[in-house]
Amino acid sequence: MKQPLAYVHPAAKIAPGVVIDPFVTIDQNVEIGEGTRIGSNVTILEGTRIGKNCTIFPGAVVGAVPQDLKFRGEDTLAIIGDNTTLRECVTVNRGTAARGRTVVGSNTLIMAYSHVAHDCIVGDNVIISNATQLAGEVIVDDFAVIGGGSLVHQFCHIGSHVMLQGGALVNKDIPPYIKAAREPISYAGINSVGLRRRNFSSETIREIQEIYRYLYLSGLNISDAIERIEAELPATNERDEILQFVRNSKRGVVRGYM
């Protein structure tokens, strides 16, 4: 259902059951899945793909060209998954030649005034709180929770099930399952409350705690800690995920609190 005061380009693909409020602008080369609602004064620009049953609140802008001086008008996308909510004045830019797309996953909530820059990959079931700013090519894995007013440096990687304090300045990668806090941003224990809410067993939580004791509380450097973990702790999905994350970190992982 489209209000007469909204503009929808004739070439846009709008599924049945989409609600489009007044003063919305929808450009060409846009696809919107069924059951989605587009609030008033939302602008959806070329190259945007929005899934089913999403809610986009007034003032949001999705698919604007990247704020990257290297961008040369290449054909790129901004993709929003199913059941995702973008609150007031959220901005999601489309990708550049680097990745070709900016992706926000399914069942994700991005709160008001937050920005997702070009080529970011935001996973499923993520919560990004008010006024958070993700610079270009940031990765946020599934079930991460980012506190309000956080600033995340370009190319950083935030692991799954992370809890990041509000107002954080993130310039290093944050491994899975932990809380990150303080200034400079540091390891602050594992996210045990979040893990219990997601039905991780007490045994698994203890195993994750033990891994991070080696990484952050043993006095070992990262390389030696990884060797000890592989030699002394049993292989589990969680152990292997943490070790792969740390090994693949390009910016280096956050350190323990000093």
Side-chain angles (χ1 to χ4, degrees):
M1 181 178 68
K2 179 178 82 69
Q3 290 290 332
L5 295 176
Y7 170 75
V8 179
H9 193 282
K13 297 179 180 179
I14 311 298
V18 173
V19 176
I20 300 172
D21 286 348
F23 310 114
V24 168
T25 298
I26 298 178
D27 206 348
Q28 63 182 338
N29 189 21
V30 168
E31 299 177 12
I32 301 177
E34 62 187 25
T36 287
R37 178 163 193 150
I38 311 297
S40 62
N41 295 290
V42 167
T43 302
I44 301 176
L45 296 169
E46 185 173 355
T48 298
R49 307 287 185 265
I50 297 174
K52 300 176 181 178
N53 303 312
C54 295
T55 303
I56 302 183
F57 277 72
V61 179
V62 185
V65 297
Q67 300 174 99
D68 183 344
L69 297 177
K70 298 186 299 299
F71 182 69
R72 292 293 181 266
E74 51 266 33
D75 186 13
T76 59
L77 300 174
I79 300 172
I80 311 295
D82 298 336
N83 308 304
T84 283
T85 297
L86 307 183
R87 291 300 304 245
E88 296 83 355
C89 301
V90 164
T91 53
V92 181
N93 292 168
R94 61 185 175 98
T96 69
R99 287 194 177 119
R101 60 185 56 199
T102 302
V103 178
V104 175
S106 297
N107 305 299
T108 284
L109 169 61
I110 302 183
M111 296 186 193
Y113 300 101
S114 295
H115 176 64
V116 180
H118 64 88
D119 302 294
C120 287
I121 307 293
V122 177
D124 298 336
N125 301 290
V126 170
I127 297 174
I128 297 177
S129 300
N130 297 67
T132 291
Q133 311 293 299
L134 304 184
E137 301 186 53
V138 166
I139 298 174
V140 181
D141 289 337
D142 297 348
F143 291 100
V145 178
I146 299 179
S150 296
L151 304 176
V152 184
H153 194 282
Q154 63 195 50
F155 308 116
C156 282
H157 187 178
I158 297 175
S160 62
H161 301 279
V162 161
M163 171 65 77
L164 179 65
Q165 81 163 19
L169 302 176
V170 180
N171 58 7
K172 295 287 185 182
D173 294 343
I174 301 178
Y177 309 114
I178 74 168
K179 296 180 291 186
R182 310 184 180 98
E183 174 56 35
I185 195 72
S186 306
Y187 169 76
I190 72 162
N191 183 19
S192 55
V193 172
L195 296 178
R196 290 190 187 100
R197 288 174 177 167
R198 295 170 200 131
N199 298 314
F200 281 71
S201 68
S202 296
E203 179 182 0
T204 298
I205 292 171
R206 284 194 296 271
E207 290 170 351
I208 293 170
Q209 285 176 322
E210 187 66 17
I211 293 165
Y212 282 111
R213 287 192 187 100
Y214 280 82
L215 283 170
Y216 286 118
L217 304 175
S218 65
L220 298 170
N221 63 37
I222 292 292
S223 297
D224 290 344
I226 287 174
E227 288 184 10
R228 290 276 300 277
I229 290 166
E230 290 185 317
E232 299 177 12
L233 299 182
T236 63
N237 290 336
E238 291 76 21
R239 188 202 77 163
D240 292 345
E241 180 182 357
I242 293 166
L243 294 183
Q244 182 180 30
F245 185 103
V246 173
R247 282 196 172 110
N248 292 341
S249 174
K250 296 178 180 178
R251 295 190 58 82
V253 297
V254 294
R255 298 299 296 162
Y257 180 62
M258 302 301 291

